[in-house]
Amino acid sequence: MENERAVGAPAEGSELAVRRQKLERLKAEGRDPFVITKFEVSAHAAEIQRDFERMEGQIVSLAGRLMGRRDMGKANFVDLQDKTGRIQIFANIGGLGEEAFAEFKKWDIGDIIGLTGEVFRTRRGEISVKAQKMTLLSKSLQPLPEKFHGLTDTDTRYRQRYIDLIMNQDVRETFVKRSAIIREIRNFLDSQDFVEVETPMLVANAGGAAARPFSTHYNALDEDIKLRISLELYLKRLIVGGLDRVYEIGRVFRNEGLDTRHNPEFTLMELYQAYTDYNGMMDLTENMFRHVAQKVCGTTLIPYADAMIDLGKPFERMTMTEAVKKYAGVDFDQVPDTAAAKKLADERGLHYEERHTKGDILNLFFEEYVEEHLIQPVFIMDHPVEISPLTKRKPDKPDYVERFELFIYGREMCNAYSELNDPVDQRERFAAQEKLLAQGDEEANHTDEDFLTALEIGMPPTGGIGYGIDRLVMLLTNSPAIRDVLLFPTMKSIGGEKKTAAAPSAAAAPAEKIDFSQVKVEPIFEEMVDFETFSKSDFRAVKIEACEVVPKSKKLLKFTLNDGTDRKRTILSGIHEYYEPEELVGKTAIAIVNLPPRKMMGISSEGMLISAVHEQDGREGLNLLMVDDRIPAGAKLY
């Protein structure tokens, strides 16, 4: 089927060719289904199933896709699927007439049809509609897949969401629920006197978050501009302007990796409320999560993965230093300075950068030792000022800010502040960000002079929150990956310029000639290793079943591997600079599997993937060792 889709002319005798011939015949007979522009629908499948007692014996009109057929000669039972679900249709010669019934039997699974008929219950008790008139509304030329699930189909599901929606009822329900979640968020905020607004997506200065923006060019103005990474700075301008409660739900764009929790474009909601602080924002967040869960799911007890998340109980509140003390056994209130903090990090094997200060190290401890334990809802409060450039300092502890993040199932669900409204302090924070930018931090903010002007006009005390809508939908629909709640997630192009393995062709292109003259490799290790020692290393072929970016890490990828045993193996590898997760899923790699597990970013890594490293033009190059996919998982290398 894939080959048929890739070319214009279908193979003779294929199902695609047969369906095209049927369409050509219909057109030649003046019965082209594609000229029909309208069909009046009076009922839906779910409505008939739900209200059968009221609708029994009524004549209804339905439209949808033909999904199954049971041919009994002079009578057929078929399944019709519309936007609400499926219902059985009974069609026979007596109801349709001989000519119409004969034509109906030529229709294919996947065709879109309209029908008028009587609601009844069969002798076996199944609610059905007896067709009196049927119309072919659209011909399906591509046959639908017989099976549409499992790991091998995951990529196709995301790329061809239209097929996914046709074949999987639970997928349709997820996106219907997503719409309901956004609707209930709006209802809740509207009831709290918030005003929904819209702010620019194309901006000269992409600020408000620590992220690398996408850049583009505005031809009419002859200016380089960026896609927004946040909604914050424009919404705060509106607070200055006197709109005391504002929110926006919109797409933002961050030039970062793809994994189970990140997509470069995603839906963010930010809200700002004058004359409150982060305590007021905690109350609002807790009430909103509870309201949305109750309205959309009918309960505040939400199943997610292997846990039951209780949104009905009061959310726990804990400072970041308290959390690190509880789970890592380190009290940062007793750590005097940056040097002492770095010494602690060295003792624990935590990687940090030279520019990092005590506050950065505290955050690293939190990410390494705390996040995985935060299953039930908990507000983590009072972050270090170094990682919060737009937040008001705590009056009694100026090294910390009035900020919180809500964590559920080890994941950040929202980020909120008592907003910084001191223009002098804000200018100093921007200056610190500019220094980080000069040091190579691509996620640091530029100074926004217009925003500073707005603050100088005067902004009242304000609380603000940013919510990742996609993560909330993941929670309330029990979806493991962000792509499961995005209709059209970002995917690497098939056949694009960056594709590493070209599809086989009849006339193979000549092999690319590679110039290795400028490549430097590490000298071969001259000290001999005895054969017995070497043979103790267990090299195995492993299938990469999943790959994702390790949260808060720029380098680490987390691999879920099939190593030929009954359990899944997790290995972390610092190769994100060279590979995006999605291009590795499904590949066969080589790993050493008998190394002792070691903790990295709070995750136990059970072995090591083998890579080839070289130097070229003063930079390190790396290629993950991947082998023929015909090699089975668990195959041992000798």
Side-chain angles (χ1 to χ4, degrees), residues 147-446:
K147 295 182 180 180
F148 211 74
H149 61 275
L151 180 67
T152 57
D153 291 317
T154 299
D155 187 74
T156 306
R157 284 186 51 231
Y158 295 146
R159 292 184 187 277
Q160 298 179 323
R161 185 65 85 184
Y162 40 92
I163 301 179
D164 193 20
L165 292 167
I166 292 170
M167 302 303 297
N168 294 312
Q169 175 72 24
D170 59 332
V171 173
R172 292 199 303 278
E173 290 173 354
T174 291
F175 289 104
V176 170
K177 187 174 281 189
R178 179 188 176 104
S179 177
I181 289 167
I182 295 174
R183 180 171 61 250
E184 288 304 329
I185 290 172
R186 285 192 166 102
N187 288 341
F188 177 82
L189 293 177
D190 292 347
S191 72
Q192 302 291 315
D193 295 327
F194 280 83
V195 176
E196 184 173 9
V197 297
E198 296 173 308
T199 61
M201 289 190 180
L202 299 175
V203 295
N205 187 353
R212 185 170 57 179
F214 288 93
S215 298
T216 185
H217 185 77
Y218 206 139
N219 290 335
L221 301 178
D222 192 23
E223 289 182 359
D224 290 333
I225 54 174
K226 298 177 175 62
L227 277 70
R228 66 184 180 186
I229 61 173
S230 171
L231 314 174
E232 179 169 347
L233 300 184
Y234 280 97
L235 291 177
K236 285 182 178 178
R237 287 168 167 90
L238 299 180
I239 294 290
V240 171
L243 297 179
D244 287 349
R245 298 188 181 200
V246 293
Y247 76 96
E248 180 175 7
I249 300 174
R251 303 291 269 186
V252 296
F253 310 87
R254 298 182 181 179
N255 200 348
E256 58 190 12
L258 298 85
D259 59 38
T260 55
R261 283 183 275 175
H262 295 87
N263 196 71
E265 58 172 310
F266 61 97
T267 303
L268 183 66
M269 183 188 78
E270 291 195 32
L271 64 84
Y272 293 86
Q273 179 179 341
Y275 310 111
T276 190
D277 62 2
Y278 75 144
N279 291 298
M281 294 295 96
M282 278 186 262
D283 294 339
L284 184 144
T285 298
E286 186 170 338
N287 291 335
M288 188 183 78
F289 269 59
R290 195 167 292 136
H291 167 89
V292 173
Q294 187 66 54
K295 289 290 186 179
V296 175
C297 304
T299 179
T300 55
L301 197 61
I302 306 298
Y304 189 80
D306 56 353
M308 290 297 294
I309 307 300
D310 192 346
L311 300 176
K313 292 181 180 178
F315 294 3
E316 185 179 1
R317 303 186 182 194
M318 188 186 312
T319 69
M320 184 176 282
T321 53
E322 289 170 345
V324 169
K325 183 177 179 180
K326 178 178 180 179
Y327 293 106
V330 177
D331 186 354
F332 266 77
D333 284 338
Q334 303 303 314
V335 177
D337 51 30
T338 294
K342 287 185 174 179
K343 183 180 178 182
L344 282 170
D346 291 336
E347 292 171 356
R348 298 291 185 103
L350 289 182
H351 173 74
Y352 57 85
E353 298 179 28
E354 185 60 33
R355 61 182 174 83
H356 282 161
T357 63
K358 174 185 170 182
D360 297 301
I361 305 297
L362 168 61
N363 189 52
L364 290 175
F365 268 82
F366 175 78
E367 293 168 354
E368 176 74 16
Y369 293 105
V370 179
E371 286 187 358
E372 64 181 313
H373 299 288
L374 307 180
I375 303 303
Q376 295 302 321
V378 54
F379 292 116
I380 297 297
M381 310 179 297
D382 301 352
H383 294 52
V385 69
E386 292 90 337
I387 62 170
S388 310
L390 298 168
T391 313
K392 184 173 288 189
R393 295 177 191 263
K394 290 183 69 65
D396 56 335
K397 297 181 73 173
D399 289 340
Y400 296 89
V401 296
E402 293 189 348
R403 173 185 174 187
F404 75 79
E405 292 173 295
L406 171 64
F407 280 85
I408 300 176
Y409 201 76
R411 299 173 180 178
E412 176 201 331
M413 302 299 293
C414 71
N415 188 18
Y417 312 146
S418 293
E419 302 298 335
L420 180 61
N421 59 345
D422 179 346
V424 177
D425 192 353
Q426 181 63 80
R427 184 174 290 279
E428 292 172 354
R429 307 275 191 99
F430 275 138
Q433 289 284 297
E434 293 281 5
K435 288 181 180 179
L436 293 176
L437 200 64
Q439 294 171 11
D441 185 350
E442 295 180 327
E443 296 184 349
N445 286 191
H446 283 284

